[in-house]
Amino acid sequence: MNDWRDTTFEVRLGPPGHGGFCVARHEGRVVFVRHGLPGELVRVRVTEDRGGSFCRADVVEILEPSPDRVPATCPVSGPGGAGCCDFSYATPQAQRALKASVVAEQLRRLAGIEREIVVQPITGSGDATGGWRTRIRLAVDATGRAGVHRYRSTDVIADLRCPQPVPGALDGVADRLWTPGADLVIAIDGDGVRHIVELTPTAEGERRKSRTSDWQRTDPGATSERRGDQRGRDRRGRAERNDRRRPGAEPGGVRGDDDRARKSRADDPGARGRDDRTGGRSAEQGNRRRPAGKPASEWRGDDAPGTPERGRRRRPGEIGGVWRSDARGGGSGTEQNGDRSPEVPQAQERRSASARRAATHAARDEWVISGSGRAVEYVAGRRWEVSATGFWQAHHGAAQCYSDLVEWSGLLPGGLAWDLYSGAGVFASRLAEQVGQTGAVLAVESARSAVADGTAALRDLSWLDLHAQRVERWVTERLGGPAPDVVILDPPRAGAGKDVIAALTSTDPSRIIHIGCDPAAFARDLGLYHAAGYHLEDLRAFDAFPATHHVECIALLKRPPSQ
């Protein structure tokens, strides 16, 4: 079969597929087409062809536009660009309809569930498709410029005009140089304070540096500056290692090729303009530490760049002068269509994606550039303080929105509840309020740092016990013990899987609340519950990542009364 790469042809676009594309057919092959809408007649250019029954293409010309098409709101993610905004050219209503169609198809194909799906905005967000992201992750290219990844590539596009971040999140980031090959994590916390943390380069980051090194030869001083700058940095320890999506659990943010990170990810902020409450100075001004010899890292408003304070070098894992011996490095669905795609290309893609994720979440030194590196967050009147590089829901309203659905639990005072993949315990805190002091809530999370953050935030709830352990082992150890009334679980993007669900359903909880950000993994998990005798009582889907193909689903499952 001939390689179709760079060839162009006309196709009529079919339904959306899982991954931010529409499915089309040309000369007997399936074509996954980005930047188009169902029903449109378009001209496409093939961007990837590994043989077999399918290839990938971008729309290069709209011949018959859909009535749902609008001017694209993201200038970075068009054909050949980044993967940050899959649907920025569709109305908000059309975006949600596309996601609903994908969720319904995955449930039908993978779980045997026929259900009409309605994707709704995060509470209070309306139809806004920009200004929602409070967690961002950027890559740094070989010249020291921050940017996002090109779609399905490690190339860095040094263009920060994506509309997802909340206002002010990226102010000044493009005006300075960063360590080549590093990553930047930017978090805007619940107090409006911006935290910027630079993660030291991984092996993949070093490859980014080596691909274009001419700038070093033309500017010999650049490399020496970066080697010598570490003496003046505030080294805050290693990245939080975790593959969970709950508060405190994993790095999150915008990466050009679909991070979510979460839950997708990629796994994604802007300061709301508040000053730090210590004498009116902003947190950025109060902790402005940067490498010596580099441009000033941050300033507020119209302030001119000044000479930052030289910060002492902290040991890995040290925060606020306290050594943390547990500091570790921190955390996809498949595309579906009517035909079976070839096994070999998909297997290669999965291995490649796994390698990229492993490199991203490997243990890495962190350097706090602005803020304290400790983000303050609020849910249901409670206050958490978590690592800025740890996970918190990317959408500013998501944590509150999801936690409100804990009312599904139906718990009474004195009940027993479990919270699996609990992160810093946002859901666990709501469960604890329901069962009261006569009840008990057991929460488990593999990231010790997240458990420590949750324990500190929830120390007044003595009947809530947070455990640092692998969920699989923890659940298995409790087989034959007291049955929980309710279990809430929010597993990583790949889902809980058959081992966890088999052990969980063996404990015989009356209700299970399952959360997922990948429609395919979510549907597979629901199919496992169904096989274990549970039925789907309710399902809510949220547009937690506007303009992207990602969607958050929350299911309530019940055990039939006869069992």
Side-chain angles (χ1 to χ4, degrees), residues 278-546:
T278 56
R281 295 175 64 199
S282 74
E284 295 182 18
Q285 292 169 319
N287 189 28
R288 189 187 295 170
R289 296 171 178 168
R290 65 167 175 87
K294 276 196 175 184
S297 61
E298 290 303 322
W299 59 92
R300 296 281 298 267
D302 297 326
D303 293 349
T307 302
E309 170 188 353
R310 291 175 66 95
R312 71 178 179 86
R313 187 178 184 181
R314 298 179 183 173
R315 294 179 291 173
E318 184 180 11
I319 292 182
V322 179
W323 169 246
R324 298 190 316 165
S325 60
D326 68 324
R328 301 184 294 171
S332 266
T334 58
E335 292 153 343
Q336 303 293 336
N337 58 76
D339 293 345
R340 288 177 59 87
S341 298
E343 291 291 329
V344 173
Q346 288 188 344
Q348 292 173 342
E349 291 176 15
R350 285 194 294 269
R351 285 195 296 272
S352 178
S354 297
R356 288 195 300 270
R357 284 194 295 270
T360 298
H361 302 308
R364 303 167 71 177
D365 285 348
E366 299 178 356
W367 303 89
V368 176
I369 304 301
S370 71
S372 66
R374 298 290 294 172
V376 174
E377 303 291 355
Y378 302 91
V379 178
R382 283 192 169 273
R383 179 185 186 275
W384 276 261
E385 184 178 307
V386 300
S387 169
T389 57
F391 178 81
W392 194 266
Q393 294 292 344
H395 194 294
H396 60 78
Q400 181 67 56
C401 178
Y402 304 159
S403 70
D404 286 343
L405 289 183
V406 172
E407 66 185 20
W408 277 356
S409 70
L411 281 169
L412 299 174
L416 172 62
W418 292 358
D419 181 6
L420 309 182
Y421 311 99
S422 60
V426 170
F427 293 160
S429 68
R430 304 297 294 268
L431 294 170
E433 292 170 355
Q434 292 180 333
V435 301
Q437 298 186 35
T438 59
V441 175
L442 305 180
V444 61
E445 164 63 48
S446 63
R448 294 182 181 276
S449 57
V451 172
D453 292 341
T455 300
L458 307 175
R459 55 184 174 271
D460 59 309
L461 302 175
S462 59
W463 57 98
L464 190 163
D465 191 2
L466 286 87
H467 299 260
Q469 192 174 348
R470 297 287 298 180
V471 168
E472 298 89 336
R473 179 181 301 176
W474 188 90
V475 174
T476 301
E477 290 174 352
R478 276 150 187 78
L479 294 177
D485 299 302
V486 175
V487 176
I488 292 182
L489 65 162
D490 184 5
R493 181 180 299 278
K498 62 181 181 180
D499 292 339
V500 169
I501 290 178
L504 171 58
T505 54
S506 295
T507 66
D508 205 28
S510 299
R511 297 187 179 197
I512 298 171
I513 300 174
H514 186 102
I515 303 165
C517 72
D518 181 272
F522 180 77
R524 284 192 293 268
D525 283 347
L526 261 57
L528 294 170
Y529 289 122
H530 185 266
Y534 284 78
H535 70 271
L536 180 61
E537 179 75 10
D538 205 347
L539 190 151
R540 301 278 292 278
F542 291 99
D543 192 11
F545 312 94

Side-chain angles (χ1 to χ4, degrees), residues 181-262:
D183 283 350
L184 298 182
V185 176
I186 302 172
I188 306 298
D189 69 16
D191 283 338
V193 175
R194 179 167 68 165
H195 307 267
I196 302 180
V197 180
E198 187 178 84
L199 307 182
T200 55
T202 61
E204 187 273 320
E206 293 294 339
R207 287 193 292 272
R208 288 203 301 259
K209 291 166 59 178
S210 65
R211 278 197 292 267
T212 52
S213 57
D214 289 344
W215 68 279
Q216 292 178 339
R217 291 192 288 272
T218 58
D219 182 9
T223 303
S224 60
E225 283 181 1
R226 286 180 172 82
R227 288 174 181 165
D229 64 18
Q230 294 183 351
R231 292 189 297 273
R233 283 188 168 182
D234 180 13
R235 185 179 184 182
R236 195 183 61 75
R238 298 182 184 276
E240 311 276 6
R241 174 178 301 222
N242 189 28
D243 55 359
R244 310 306 183 213
R245 304 175 42 262
R246 297 284 291 282
E250 82 170 337
V254 174
R255 296 183 69 89
D257 63 348
D258 165 39
D259 183 45
R260 171 146 146 55
R262 219 132 26 154

